Amino acid sequence: LCGLLPGMSPMRASLAAFLLIAVCTGQSQAFLIQTFAGEDAPIQQTWSNPERIPFVLYGTGSDDLSPEESHRLIRESFQIWQDVPTSRVAFIDQGETTTRTPSRRDRRNLIFFDEANAYLQAPRGSGIIAVTRLNSNALTGEITDADIIFNGLEFTFAGDNSSTRGSVNLKDVAVHEVGHLLGLEHTPLDGPAISRPTMNPFNRGDGPGLGQSLEADDIAGVSYLYPTANYARTVGKIKGTVRDLQGNGLFGAHLIAYNVDTGVQISTVSGAFDGSSGSYVLEGLPPGRYRLELAAIGGAINADNFGGIFTDFAAGFPREFYDNSRAENLAQLVNIEAGQTLDSIDFTTGFIRPGFPSIELFALPSNTPDTSGPYTIRAQAINVNDIWLHYRRSDEQSQRIAMQPVGEDLFTAPIPGQPTHTQLEFRFEARNDSIEQAFFPENGSWFGFSVVQLSGAPLAFTALRDADVVSVIDTETSSELARIAVGDEPIQLILSQDGRSLYVSNLSSNDISVISTATFQEIERIPTALQPLDLALSPDGKTLYATNSGAGTLTVVDLATNAGQTVWIAGLSTGPYGIAARNDKVFVTDLANDQLLIMTPSGTVQSRIDVAAQPRSLALSPDSRSLYIASMGEGTLTVFDAEEERISQRVELPVEGTFAVAAHPAGEKVYLTAHDDGSVLVLNTADMTLRKQIFTGDNPRGLSFSPDGQIVFVTNAFSDRITLLDGTTDETIGTYSTSDQPRGIAVSNPVYLSADTSVSAASSLPEGFTLHPTYPNPFNAETQIAYSLPMDIPRQRVQLNVYNGMGQRVRQLVNAVQEPGFYASRWDGRDDRGKAVSTGVYMLSLRTDGHHQTRKLLLLR
């Protein structure tokens, strides 16, 4: 039975299946096979003659498509499964019929569109899109009849190139249903659309056509059920058990094998073999090195998405990696050869072995530009009497210091500051009454991080959704400086006004990470309601807003205390999604009802405005007078007058829909990501004409600008890269390769810990003369200016001046003799007499005895 969960709209989730009749036999397996409880053992449903599985099409097809197109798409869906080279599956197309109707006993496998709900009899509004009804022998599990029935009454089905609003791509659904017809259950294995198995029950409205390809998990499933003669000799398997601390086997724990060289993922759940104990087998693994992960099935996936024996899944234990590691990078890899069975790969949940010290790193430090330190290392430890921190520079003798208790089972120790380019490694030692000495990590491994050097160019912070980290890229060297561990599924981020704090919404852990941009360390977590998504900052810098897309609420954070308050939004069933903020009002999008909500800063809804279909993201113009509204459901940009609170223009776009929207800092252009079209649209704000369409990659999502507005950064979630555009010509000027589905992005100038004094450590003094990019730029009230003086000149005269477009000096900021080091100053947009200067372009000049450098400043009043 395929459809939506209650309360979910057709555009947000489209496939969720429930087994009607399922009886099976066999061994344990990766992926999942439709399985029923037999008298003595579970029984799996399979075809006894997979080389000749017949099907017949009902003649009229779908009311929404021509019979020819309906039948073509169905036949192509069967062909996708038949094309798996390691499987013996082959279908017999028995043509069309106008007399057959769905029946569980006629041994005719009918594909039928139920336009009147006469056979499905699905409750109105249940969200059921399609049903695969299987009948099988209760003793052997042999499938004898299989009908696929589509809910034509409540759903509109679309072909490959249809853009009908609210429609469901027929082939996306049909490929999934043919998998059920073959005997495959759902898989809990998730991920981005490009790698998510077809048998995962949700496609989340990622776009038509993205549910049609088979992934490794799907291929392993059908190949295990119906293998070719030599299939077993080309793949391996991993076997083991999952138990709790009391030694009880856990049923329904999700196990994932990830090939670290190819990215292939295959999964299963414990107990799929015997229905109760914690035994598992991961089948169909191509040779290679695998990282094994254990997790509880949760979120949108639960027992209601499965049938047969798959109920009452184990829960309440944390995610971990083999062997007994919470950190992905410390997982013990398992090597699989062709034809090999690797046994006794066991898990005990909870990171604790009875009587043995258990140590867990509390927030893995990332690489940092901070040379002053100290670097505080935190660990959570259980069953320990004493605990020490060992640290060392790479390949040097380690130092050992006792860790101090700072709370229940929490211990800390400081590592002193280190010069730039230092690579630091650390590990923990613990003892208790029964264990003389234990180390974490084990096997001679160490944790590590580096003290990195900044070039002085802007830094690009990017949320990598699948890796649960924020990546930091130096835009001058194009190198990744750090990966900052945050919460689960970081999705969007925003910088504080002074650029010293970065706020990151974590979709699955339901919190906001606060990162110091000067040290690259997470310093705080702010709890939110369910699924925080988009973020906005009030222009006065005092309030942070986060939309809670899974709760119908808004989180309002007082940045003076970082205390968050949840505000319920009346009349909102799903969302909100996009958000933009002024000091006097807040705007959010109601995607389900195609509306823009106007709210007070405290979160009270004042009015609702009908806008284009599925409004997703919002952006205010630099002067906050115009609000731009991107729409996922149609190619329309809505321009809203934020002062008069009325729609001023609807702009037709040459794409199916758009995701993100951003206004250029100079206010002359608006950028939109067309995620389904793989492109970015650039519009002139003067007349809202299309300036350019730029193809950037697969599924572009996030937009950001360099502080001077000269470069536009675009994240492409499914092609794992960031595209750089020239902010003047809008030509593509470069790319950064990332990984793990980049989403939100923010770009800022580096922030130095020593704001007005030079760094004292000689080893960390700058090697060159640099006037760093200012932040913000363009600016309205104040901009920060950083510069560095090299170590090869002990003292020199320094002048920092601001000039207007005619070359006249407007303001002298620095005129002093200074020593080598990093320095900072600020310009508040006033001249030497204290009078505010007008909007325009100004030149910032840094001059010493032997060097001179200038940068442009754009002041906007």
Side-chain angles (χ1 to χ4, degrees):
L1 180 73
C2 287
L4 305 177
L5 293 179
M8 301 184 76
S9 71
M11 297 305 294
R12 294 189 60 226
S14 68
L15 303 178
F18 310 92
L19 186 63
L20 286 178
I21 304 174
V23 193
C24 329
T25 186
Q27 303 174 1
S28 176
Q29 69 285 321
F31 37 85
L32 292 180
I33 295 170
Q34 297 190 17
T35 306
F36 250 65
E39 289 186 7
D40 300 317
I43 303 173
Q44 297 175 341
Q45 292 192 122
T46 57
W47 293 90
S48 62
N49 188 8
E51 298 91 343
R52 296 179 59 82
I53 302 176
F55 69 89
V56 61
L57 303 166
Y58 193 75
T60 57
S62 168
D63 283 355
D64 309 313
L65 303 166
S66 67
E68 293 78 15
E69 187 172 13
S70 295
H71 296 158
R72 174 183 64 82
L73 294 170
I74 296 296
R75 289 183 169 109
E76 289 175 359
S77 301
F78 277 96
Q79 190 65 42
I80 285 172
W81 288 96
Q82 183 170 312
D83 287 342
V84 175
T86 50
S87 165
R88 294 181 290 119
V89 165
F91 298 101
I92 299 175
D93 186 345
Q94 296 183 327
E96 302 167 12
T97 179
T98 56
T99 58
R100 296 280 181 180
T101 56
S103 168
R104 299 178 184 176
R105 290 179 170 80
D106 63 1
R107 295 179 180 262
R108 298 293 297 274
N109 306 320
L110 179 67
I111 316 303
F112 186 81
F113 288 85
D114 191 353
E115 306 294 350
N117 197 27
Y119 298 93
L120 272 181
Q121 297 183 344
R124 189 76 175 177
S126 65
I128 296 172
I129 299 176
V131 168
T132 296
R133 298 199 309 198
L134 299 181
N135 199 12
S136 59
N137 186 298
L139 297 178
T140 67
E142 178 189 349
I143 299 173
T144 57
D145 188 278
D147 293 342
I148 299 176
I149 310 172
F150 293 90
N151 186 351
L153 178 64
E154 290 194 76
F155 290 91
T156 300
F157 292 100
D160 290 333
N161 301 314
S162 174
S163 60
T164 306
R165 179 185 170 195
S167 63
V168 176
N169 185 278
L170 175 58
K171 196 170 174 182
D172 280 346
V173 181
V175 172
H176 180 94
E177 294 305 315
V178 175
H180 285 315
L181 179 144
L182 290 169
L184 291 176
E185 247 288 7
H186 282 148
T187 173
L189 188 57
D190 207 341
I194 196 171
S195 61
R196 184 184 309 136
T198 293
M199 297 314 296
N200 181 278
F202 299 102
N203 71 18
R204 290 184 188 79
D206 286 310
L210 293 178
Q212 301 172 10
S213 61
L214 303 185
E215 305 304 328
D217 195 70
D218 305 307
I219 293 169
V222 71
S223 301
Y224 168 79
L225 280 178
Y226 314 109
T228 54
N230 66 341
Y231 174 67
R233 294 193 295 271
T234 65
V235 296
K237 66 176 70 174
I238 297 174
K239 302 173 65 175
T241 60
V242 181
R243 301 185 184 278
D244 61 18
L245 288 175
Q246 289 72 45
N248 302 313
L250 298 183
F251 174 76
H254 190 203
L255 294 115
I256 302 169
Y258 176 83
N259 190 307
V260 297
D261 300 313
T262 66
V264 162
Q265 294 187 90
I266 294 175
S267 81
T268 189
V269 300
S270 58
F273 170 57
D274 56 19
S276 60
S277 77
S279 61
Y280 76 89
V281 179
L282 284 156
E283 293 269 6
L285 302 176
R289 297 180 303 154
Y290 285 86
R291 181 177 67 234
L292 302 183
E293 177 183 344
L294 175 71
I297 295 173
I301 307 292
N302 55 54
D304 291 339
N305 306 130
F306 301 83
I309 67 170
F310 299 107
T311 59
D312 299 324
F313 293 148
F317 58 90
R319 172 190 185 211
E320 65 178 276
F321 299 90
Y322 186 76
D323 178 25
N324 204 236
S325 171
R326 183 183 291 274
E328 180 177 300
N329 62 320
L330 292 176
Q332 181 178 332
L333 300 184
V334 175
N335 190 63
I336 289 292
E337 298 177 1
Q340 180 186 25
T341 296
L342 199 60
D343 211 342
S344 300
I345 305 300
D346 302 327
F347 286 85
T348 300
T349 60
F351 304 106
I352 299 174
R353 304 172 198 170
F356 200 85
S358 174
I359 306 172
E360 180 184 338
L361 182 62
F362 193 86
L364 180 66
S366 71
N367 292 350
T368 178
D370 176 19
T371 58
S372 58
Y375 316 117
T376 301
I377 307 299
R378 300 175 177 87
Q380 209 159 12
I382 301 172
N383 294 334
V384 300
N385 293 346
D386 300 290
I387 180 171
W388 295 269
L389 175 73
H390 293 251
Y391 73 91
R392 68 185 185 186
R393 297 188 186 187
S394 296
D395 302 323
E396 293 184 2
Q397 186 173 357
S398 65
Q399 305 292 319
R400 181 177 183 259
I401 55 176
M403 301 191 72
Q404 302 301 316
V406 292
E408 185 176 359
D409 301 326
L410 186 63
F411 299 81
T412 69
I415 297 177
Q418 302 290 325
T420 301
H421 304 304
T422 299
Q423 293 183 333
L424 280 167
E425 297 180 334
F426 65 94
R427 65 190 306 204
F428 304 100
E429 176 191 353
R431 296 181 184 182
N432 64 18
D433 294 335
S434 58
I435 303 296
E436 181 177 344
Q437 187 181 55
F439 286 97
F440 180 73
E442 300 175 13
N443 305 318
S445 299
W446 294 69
F447 295 106
F449 65 93
S450 298
V451 183
V452 297
Q453 183 171 11
L454 305 180
S455 70
L459 303 172
F461 297 89
T462 309
L464 302 185
R465 180 175 181 175
D466 285 354
D468 298 336
V469 300
V470 170
S471 169
V472 188
I473 295 176
D474 188 306
T475 61
E476 180 172 302
T477 63
S478 302
S479 59
E480 185 176 65
L481 299 176
R483 287 196 164 202
I484 308 167
V486 289
D488 296 341
E489 286 196 278
I491 195 80
Q492 299 291 359
L493 38 77
I494 194 170
L495 286 156
S496 62
Q497 282 193 334
D498 61 8
R500 294 181 175 273
S501 298
L502 179 73
Y503 302 96
V504 185
S505 60
N506 299 303
L507 190 68
S508 291
S509 54
N510 305 323
D511 49 33
I512 297 171
S513 294
V514 185
I515 293 171
S516 165
T517 57
T519 65
F520 299 170
Q521 306 301 310
E522 184 185 44
I523 56 178
E524 191 173 352
R525 290 270 183 99
I526 303 172
T528 69
L530 189 63
Q531 296 180 337
L533 191 60
D534 283 10
L535 302 169
L537 195 67
S538 62
D540 60 16
K542 296 179 179 179
T543 308
L544 175 70
Y545 300 93
T547 58
N548 298 305
S549 57
T553 65
L554 194 67
T555 295
V556 183
V557 181
D558 181 352
L559 294 183
T561 61
N562 278 354
Q565 178 184 0
T566 299
V567 178
W568 293 91
I569 303 176
L572 209 61
S573 57
T574 60
Y577 291 87
I579 186 167
R582 298 179 12 148
N583 286 330
D584 60 339
K585 63 188 77 172
V586 177
F587 306 93
V588 300
T589 60
D590 182 348
L591 187 143
N593 295 307
D594 302 338
Q595 288 184 326
L596 171 73
L597 275 59
I598 305 174
M599 309 172 67
T600 65
S602 61
T604 302
V605 177
Q606 292 184 312
S607 58
R608 291 174 170 265
I609 309 294
D610 292 331
V611 294
Q614 295 184 338
R616 174 56 185 87
S617 303
L618 301 175
L620 282 162
S621 60
D623 62 6
S624 295
R625 295 188 60 88
S626 295
L627 179 71
Y628 303 104
I629 309 170
S631 296
M632 293 179 65
E634 63 179 272
T636 300
L637 171 67
T638 304
V639 185
F640 187 77
D641 189 317
E643 291 283 347
E644 299 184 10
E645 297 187 1
R646 61 177 180 83
I647 294 175
S648 57
Q649 196 171 356
R650 297 179 188 267
V651 183
E652 298 304 315
L653 305 172
V655 292
E656 299 293 326
T658 53
F659 185 88
V661 58
H664 191 277
E668 299 173 352
K669 293 182 288 186
V670 173
Y671 294 77
L672 299 105
T673 56
H675 53 296
D676 286 340
D677 296 82
S679 64
V680 170
L681 304 179
V682 188
L683 283 72
N684 295 309
T685 56
D687 54 8
M688 297 311 297
T689 56
L690 180 65
R691 178 187 179 97
K692 186 173 286 190
Q693 182 173 4
I694 311 150
F695 293 92
T696 60
D698 190 2
N699 202 267
R701 290 295 179 113
L703 289 165
S704 188
F705 303 94
S706 60
D708 59 6
Q710 295 299 305
I711 302 176
V712 186
F713 296 79
V714 185
T715 61
N716 300 280
F718 293 166
S719 49
D720 287 341
R721 71 183 186 192
I722 300 170
T723 301
L724 280 61
L725 309 176
D726 186 296
T728 302
T729 66
D730 296 315
E731 298 291 334
T732 301
I733 57 175
T735 60
Y736 300 144
S737 293
T738 68
S739 61
D740 303 301
Q741 201 180 164
R743 296 298 292 265
I745 185 168
V747 185
S748 73
N749 288 322
V751 174
Y752 298 100
L753 287 175
S754 50
D756 295 304
T757 61
S758 64
V759 177
S760 59
S763 58
S764 61
L765 288 176
E767 298 178 357
F769 169 92
T770 305
L771 175 60
H772 300 289
T774 60
Y775 181 84
N777 187 21
F779 71 102
N780 173 261
E782 185 177 80
T783 187
Q784 299 181 67
I785 303 162
Y787 60 93
S788 54
L789 306 178
M791 66 178 73
D792 57 354
I793 303 177
R795 292 168 61 85
Q796 55 187 315
R797 169 68 62 178
V798 176
Q799 290 186 324
L800 183 66
N801 297 312
V802 180
Y803 296 88
N804 62 21
M806 300 176 64
Q808 300 167 324
R809 194 182 80 183
V810 173
R811 179 78 173 270
Q812 184 165 75
L813 301 172
V814 175
N815 183 12
V817 175
Q818 295 180 328
E819 297 180 352
F822 295 99
Y823 292 86
S825 183
R826 300 182 181 187
W827 184 39
D828 59 3
R830 297 179 182 274
D831 61 19
D832 285 328
R833 296 173 295 174
K835 182 179 179 181
V837 300
S838 60
T839 294
V841 176
Y842 294 84
M843 298 301 298
L844 180 65
S845 168
L846 177 65
R847 187 181 296 275
T848 67
D849 296 336
H851 296 89
H852 180 217
Q853 187 176 353
T854 61
R855 287 191 178 275
K856 286 184 180 180
L857 301 174
L858 178 57
L859 174 62
L860 298 175
R861 293 295 190 189

